[in-house]
Amino acid sequence: MLAAAHRLRSGADFTHTVRSGVRQGRRNVVLYAAPNGGRTSRFGFIVSKAVGNAVARNLS
């Protein structure tokens, strides 16, 4: 699990990361990463429904 400083919790943070960050994708997971103004980098994950239901995806 990521440290709290690296997690995206609000929709606005995630949208900013998707629009201005770097994307790296695989079959079931897409990772977005963006620098955070000199502080620690922020990461956002999109996990496919093929992995499982919402509980399984959030535990991944």
Side-chain angles (χ1 to χ4, degrees):
M1 176 164 289
L2 292 172
H6 297 287
R7 290 184 218 152
L8 300 174
R9 293 294 184 185
S10 73
D13 285 344
F14 193 80
T15 300
H16 172 71
T17 301
V18 169
R19 289 185 179 171
S20 65
V22 177
R23 178 186 187 273
Q24 187 63 269
R26 295 288 181 255
R27 183 175 176 186
N28 293 327
V29 177
V30 178
L31 169 70
Y32 290 94
N36 193 17
R39 298 183 298 181
T40 57
S41 296
R42 307 294 298 273
F43 298 94
F45 295 91
I46 297 175
V47 181
S48 168
K49 285 186 178 181
V51 172
N53 62 17
V55 174
R57 292 192 311 267
N58 286 321
L59 291 174
S60 300

